[in-house]
């Protein structure tokens, strides 16, 4: 329950949900997140593990908002999510995806207050969009243990995959 209380203190807009159990896929402490304290909406509202919601909130507040103001001179208003909880294997098929535990999301893009939306993709080199996307992808590695996006592999050319998979020695994959 400490996590749920913390989400409230952080100003995250969410609904507590009952535990999820779908074969080996499960979320012990699920929440449906619809927005963050800084006014950034989550579209669509996304089901995730409570601790993951804390990390996503940190990334939005500590990384995305300041980098958007720095590189795009615009505040983000909406985080566009492709996949949050989904009971499925990793693409390799060898183990369950972190999506299967509510411990990962796929970020498709952002909407802003003073500029057109930004879709995650290969951006024009030297553009403010490229600088913003590169910064938020790189800085995500301080919060998430897996960060995959355009350039990582063919499967991640149109989104940022952010998860908190626990690995030995705090090993991180940041590509």
């Amino acid at each position: 329950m400490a996590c749920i209380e913390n989400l409230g203190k952080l100003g995250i807009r969410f609904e507590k949900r009952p535990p999820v159990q779908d074969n080996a896929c499960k979320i012990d402490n699920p929440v449906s997140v619809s927005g963050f304290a800084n006014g950034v909406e989550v579209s669509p509202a996304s089901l995730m593990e409570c601790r993951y919601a804390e990390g996503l909130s940190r990334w939005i507040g500590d990384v995305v908002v300041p980098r958007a103001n720095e590189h795009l001179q615009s505040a983000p208003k909406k985080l566009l999510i492709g996949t949050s909880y989904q009971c499925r294997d990793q693409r390799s098929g060898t183990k369950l995806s972190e999506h299967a535990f509510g411990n990962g999301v796929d970020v498709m893009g952002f909407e802003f207050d003073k500029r057109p939306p930004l879709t995650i993709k290969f951006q024009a080199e030297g553009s403010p969009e490229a600088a913003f996307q590169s910064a938020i992808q790189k800085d995500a590695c301080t919060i998430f243990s897996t960060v995959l996006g355009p350039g990582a592999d063919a499967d991640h050319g149109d989104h940022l995959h952010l998860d908190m998979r626990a690995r030995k020695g705090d090993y991180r994959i940041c590509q």
Side-chain angles (χ1 to χ4, degrees):
M1 287 316 236
C3 182
I4 295 293
E5 290 173 13
N6 203 31
L7 294 189
K9 290 176 188 171
L10 291 170
I12 297 173
R13 292 189 313 278
F14 71 97
E15 292 177 15
K16 174 82 175 105
R17 293 292 169 88
V20 173
Q21 182 73 53
D22 182 10
N23 295 317
C25 304
K26 70 178 192 167
I27 308 177
D28 294 326
N29 198 10
V31 292
S32 177
V33 176
S34 59
F36 299 105
N38 45 26
V40 177
E41 291 178 48
V42 177
S43 179
S46 296
L47 188 66
M48 59 192 73
E49 173 64 47
C50 185
R51 290 180 316 277
Y52 185 86
E54 288 179 296
L56 195 60
S57 175
R58 277 185 45 221
W59 182 65
I60 292 293
D62 297 349
V63 174
V64 174
V65 170
R67 298 298 176 265
N69 288 318
E70 175 186 352
H71 296 290
L72 304 174
Q73 288 72 53
S74 188
K77 290 295 171 201
K78 195 176 283 187
L79 170 66
L80 305 173
I81 301 289
T83 306
S84 57
Y85 170 75
Q86 186 178 57
C87 188
R88 66 177 167 102
D89 290 337
Q90 290 180 327
R91 298 247 188 250
S92 66
T94 57
K95 57 173 85 168
L96 286 171
S97 166
E98 287 301 296
H99 291 285
F101 306 106
N103 201 27
V105 300
D106 291 337
V107 174
M108 306 310 288
F110 300 89
E111 291 181 7
F112 300 90
D113 63 351
K114 298 180 197 163
R115 55 161 285 127
L118 180 136
T119 300
I120 301 295
K121 61 183 181 182
F122 286 100
Q123 304 293 343
E125 196 169 328
S127 69
E129 294 81 5
F132 167 73
Q133 186 172 301
S134 175
I136 65 169
Q137 186 170 344
K138 178 178 169 274
D139 292 349
C141 293
T142 63
I143 297 167
F144 302 101
S145 59
T146 309
V147 177
L148 301 169
D153 58 35
D155 291 331
H156 297 92
D158 65 352
H159 66 279
L160 292 177
H161 170 85
L162 309 173
D163 78 42
M164 295 176 126
R165 180 179 294 271
R167 295 188 184 91
K168 292 178 186 172
D170 196 31
Y171 178 74
R172 294 172 183 271
I173 298 172
C174 297
Q175 302 176 351

